[in-house]
Amino acid sequence: MEPVRRRRRRKKPADDLSLGNDGVLPTEVLYDVLLRLPANAICRLRVVCRSWRSLTSDPGFATAHASRHPLLAGVRDREVRVVDLLSGDTVRRMAPAARPRYGMNSQLDLVCISAFSTHERSSLLNPATGEVITTFLPDWPEKGTDVMSPFLLGHIPSTGQLKAFYSHLRRGEGGFDEPVQTCYVAKLIGGGGGGSGIRWRATRSPPAFVGSGLRDSVVIEGVAYILLTRSLDNEADILDDLEPDAMAVFEMTTEKWRPAALRGPLSSRLTGAADEKELVYYEHRGNVRLAAVDGCLVTVDHNRGPDCSMDLWFLVDMDVDKGIWTKRYSLRCETRCELYESSKSSDSYPLLVLDDGRIVMWEEVTHVLRVYDPRASKWDDITTVKNYSSVSIYRGNLLCPL
């Protein structure tokens, strides 16, 4: 009797698709799938196998992922959180060494949190690793200080150093002395020690008093731009011709102020008489803020009133003597912006221009993230990101190799 021969069952096309290549997705397909996932999910998937770990740790993959998933660093419920800007997913969270206040800014992979109290230690954090790099206190006088700015981070590309800058305005005892503003700078990384070893150095005085508000200053490639302002005692001011959007320029590499102030776009458009300069300052200074968008210095000029709008001026040439500005965007605000007209405070702040041309804005008053489409003149809320006391674009790499 002949042995029974079993017929080999032929695979169906569907079986070929599911089991082809031993059940492993082609690399280009896997690459595209992983790019769609948030950073926290990818970090968990690294333990699946060596090939996945190698793929997700590649610098090219990290760069491509960052372009699809812009990140926002913010303070909420006394935590520092890194959020996927478009999905609203929280991909990192950590508690700083002290209670955070309104001051927060980031450079590279690091975030600086200014403490709630001047007698508490502020924190320099690395959200990618969850590490507190260092903590520090300001060089704080015992008496007579009225206003202190948040700490401002600056990265020096040529040396790799990371420095911190702040200012405080002091009236003196009893409030009768003429106000004095002092500015300090220190190395946090690349020299000067860490923690209690940080040494603050007083700088020479800027051209005029510099602003201490959270949106009065930005740092771009190691250069700080800070809006000029009047002191707390207006009668002591002698700069009657102070322009509302003029800014001091501080070179963090040399730790020196440039001798000339940088004129903003608003100043060049004003044609008031000399005796109207005082009026011009008070009309416009509260409506001007500074931002860093796509690596460019930007002034945010709010136009209040029935036709509420916001102009975003980009500095084309960073030379102080030239100061060539171009108005790239004019945003039409919604009617609810008029509610803040009497406060003279700028409530909307640009964070990022997306690849499709939409502009991501943060509303300081309502603590809501919004997106504006210039082509359709349309606003949309990102309701998954709200109730943050302070926000900043985070350009760090959460997918750095382990």
Side-chain angles (χ1 to χ4, degrees):
M1 185 176 179
E2 295 183 2
V4 178
R5 295 181 179 178
R6 295 183 180 180
R7 295 184 61 184
R8 182 175 297 176
R9 178 177 173 268
R10 295 187 61 184
K11 296 179 181 179
K12 297 180 181 180
D15 296 330
D16 293 333
L17 289 175
S18 61
L19 299 178
N21 196 21
D22 295 328
V24 179
L25 289 174
T27 303
E28 61 273 12
V29 176
L30 177 63
Y31 187 93
D32 186 65
V33 170
L34 293 177
L35 278 181
R36 300 171 185 269
L37 301 178
N40 54 342
I42 291 177
C43 290
R44 292 195 298 267
L45 290 174
R46 281 177 169 165
V47 301
V48 172
C49 61
R50 291 183 179 179
S51 61
W52 285 31
R53 181 185 181 91
S54 176
L55 175 62
T56 57
S57 300
D58 183 74
F61 178 86
T63 301
H65 186 273
S67 65
R68 290 197 182 191
H69 300 267
L71 299 176
L72 185 76
V75 175
R76 182 179 178 183
D77 299 331
R78 295 190 178 183
E79 284 186 329
V80 176
R81 304 186 185 186
V82 180
V83 181
D84 189 308
L85 192 147
L86 298 182
S87 70
D89 295 332
T90 300
V91 295
R92 286 287 192 280
R93 61 171 63 189
M94 62 184 301
R99 294 178 298 161
R101 65 185 176 110
Y102 69 93
M104 184 199 73
N105 62 91
S106 62
Q107 287 279 313
L108 303 178
D109 291 342
L110 307 179
V111 173
C112 180
I113 302 296
S114 297
F116 183 81
S117 168
T118 56
H119 301 288
E120 293 180 281
R121 305 188 73 83
S122 297
S123 307
L124 182 65
L125 315 173
N126 186 338
T129 62
E131 179 185 4
V132 178
I133 302 299
T134 186
T135 63
F136 50 90
L137 288 169
D139 189 355
W140 192 252
E142 295 182 359
K143 299 180 180 180
T145 298
D146 291 290
V147 178
M148 175 178 167
S149 71
F151 291 102
L152 192 63
L153 285 183
H155 173 248
I156 314 301
S158 59
T159 63
Q161 294 175 342
L162 189 75
K163 296 185 178 181
F165 172 95
Y166 77 96
S167 67
H168 67 67
L169 187 66
R170 184 178 66 254
R171 284 184 186 270
E173 291 190 49
F176 299 106
D177 296 339
E178 184 175 330
V180 175
Q181 187 176 54
T182 307
C183 300
Y184 293 90
V185 64
K187 297 176 184 177
L188 301 184
I189 294 178
S196 60
I198 291 177
R199 296 185 294 271
W200 295 102
R201 297 175 294 280
T203 72
R204 290 187 176 182
S205 300
F209 292 108
V210 292
S212 57
L214 180 61
R215 304 306 186 187
D216 286 343
S217 58
V218 295
V219 178
I220 300 175
E221 295 183 352
V223 180
Y225 301 87
I226 310 175
L227 285 169
L228 297 177
T229 187
R230 295 187 181 278
S231 70
L232 299 179
D233 185 1
N234 294 325
E235 295 182 358
D237 290 316
I238 60 175
L239 298 174
D240 294 334
D241 59 347
L242 185 62
E243 296 173 331
D245 59 351
M247 60 198 80
V249 182
F250 183 71
E251 298 278 0
M252 301 192 84
T253 302
T254 60
E255 300 182 4
K256 295 181 180 179
W257 298 94
R258 291 183 184 175
L262 174 62
R263 298 188 70 193
L266 181 63
S267 302
S268 62
R269 294 182 291 129
L270 295 176
T271 57
D275 58 354
E276 295 177 346
K277 290 289 185 178
E278 189 86 9
L279 180 63
V280 166
Y281 175 87
Y282 286 109
E283 280 186 343
H284 298 282
R285 175 60 177 84
N287 293 332
V288 178
R289 293 292 182 267
L290 298 184
V293 180
D294 294 340
C296 296
L297 176 64
V298 176
T299 64
V300 187
D301 181 12
H302 285 254
N303 303 305
R304 307 288 179 171
D307 298 326
C308 181
S309 65
M310 184 191 321
D311 296 331
L312 303 184
W313 292 82
F314 286 66
L315 184 62
V316 178
D317 194 319
M318 304 298 282
D319 191 323
V320 171
D321 296 329
K322 297 179 180 179
I324 301 175
W325 297 88
T326 178
K327 184 168 66 173
R328 293 187 182 177
Y329 303 99
S330 185
L331 288 63
R332 304 299 301 177
C333 302
E334 295 178 323
T335 54
R336 67 173 178 171
C337 290
E338 298 179 19
L339 296 175
Y340 310 113
E341 180 182 358
S342 60
S343 68
K344 295 294 183 183
S345 63
S346 302
D347 49 275
S348 295
Y349 184 80
L351 297 175
L352 180 70
V353 178
L354 299 174
D355 292 339
D356 59 8
R358 292 181 300 160
I359 307 171
V360 179
M361 308 287 294
W362 174 253
E363 290 202 353
E364 303 278 12
V365 176
T366 58
H367 294 173
V368 174
L369 193 68
R370 313 196 74 204
V371 176
Y372 181 78
D373 187 346
R375 295 163 298 184
S377 299
K378 181 182 177 182
W379 289 90
D380 290 311
D381 289 348
I382 301 180
T383 56
T384 53
V385 181
K386 58 183 178 180
N387 298 328
Y388 283 77
S389 60
S390 180
V391 299
S392 173
I393 290 296
Y394 180 70
R395 303 190 183 279
N397 178 12
L398 296 181
L399 301 180
C400 57
L402 298 179

